[in-house]
Amino acid sequence: MTIMSEAPSAAATGGPYRQPIVASAIELTVRSGWSSVTMSKLAEIVGVSRQTVYNELGSKTQLAEAMISHELARFLSVVRDAFERHPEDLVEAIHDAVRGVLELADDNLLLRAIVSATHGADTELLPLLTVRAGSLLSEATIMLRGRVRAYGPPLDGEHLDVAIDVVVRTVLSHIMQPSDTPARTADALAWMASRVLGATTNRSLRHPSQD
């Protein structure tokens, strides 16, 4: 199982060793826990000096923020790609975005390690995850607002913002505590979105409870 994919489409900031250091920190956190991550150990893994690690990432807190930001950026990339695949079908785009995000969360070992706190000391990462989750909520809402409006749904701006906020918050809640499979959750949200947004679709919609 892959712990992390290549970096998101947005260009990574920092020097040439930043991404290898972040990747190694994620691997080490998943394998041994956040408490085992030290700048010296990362320097040894990457094959650079400890000073280089500090120069690239700063403090251990900044390293944690970089790790979490990298993973959360991947979720936004999934949403963007889903809408680009379905420029004419809003409901299909929402379905693919929801399913892609939830499947990525299900396979995201860093997120699992943080949320489950299987290594005890990993609870130190939870406050940072909470802060970045708030940022993700804002970023995802802004992204979706622009994307959804491009489809011209028959809702005024205020009601459209409410609908988008509900979808985003529902998806985030399923990331943290899934209640069904990504496929069935995506089906349910696509079914809801088609009715709330008044959007037509080529997708055959049935709420999962009707199965």
Side-chain angles (χ1 to χ4, degrees), residues 30-194:
V30 169
R31 185 172 65 248
S32 304
W34 177 238
S35 61
S36 72
V37 177
T38 65
M39 299 308 201
S40 296
K41 189 172 294 185
L42 290 175
E44 180 182 350
I45 293 172
V46 179
V48 297
S49 68
R50 187 173 67 169
Q51 187 58 49
T52 296
V53 176
Y54 279 108
N55 290 344
E56 292 283 9
L57 276 307
S59 66
K60 190 175 179 181
T61 297
Q62 290 172 305
L63 170 63
E65 291 173 346
M67 291 162 55
I68 293 170
S69 293
H70 182 281
E71 295 301 284
L72 295 184
R74 294 171 62 201
F75 289 95
L76 294 178
S77 178
V78 166
V79 174
R80 182 178 61 250
D81 291 347
F83 276 84
E84 290 178 354
R85 284 195 302 270
H86 303 286
E88 304 296 332
D89 193 325
L90 174 57
V91 175
E92 193 72 58
I94 291 174
H95 177 275
D96 278 12
V98 171
R99 181 167 182 168
V101 164
L102 295 180
E103 287 177 345
L104 178 58
D106 187 53
D107 196 43
N108 190 298
L109 301 186
L110 174 64
L111 184 61
R112 280 197 216 164
I114 296 170
V115 174
S116 63
T118 55
H119 303 291
D122 288 339
T123 53
E124 297 172 12
L125 288 176
L126 285 171
L128 290 174
L129 180 65
T130 301
V131 171
R132 288 297 293 127
S135 176
L136 176 67
L137 178 62
S138 298
E139 293 170 26
T141 300
I142 291 171
M143 175 190 287
L144 279 177
R145 184 180 297 132
R147 295 279 179 170
V148 172
R149 282 178 176 171
Y151 291 81
L155 292 178
D156 60 39
E158 182 178 353
H159 288 103
L160 183 59
D161 287 348
V162 170
I164 291 172
D165 186 67
V166 169
V167 171
V168 173
R169 289 179 184 276
T170 301
V171 172
L172 285 177
S173 71
H174 279 277
I175 289 175
M176 304 307 290
Q177 191 173 1
S179 60
D180 210 333
T181 65
R184 286 174 59 85
T185 300
D187 286 343
L189 283 178
W191 173 84
M192 181 192 73
S194 69

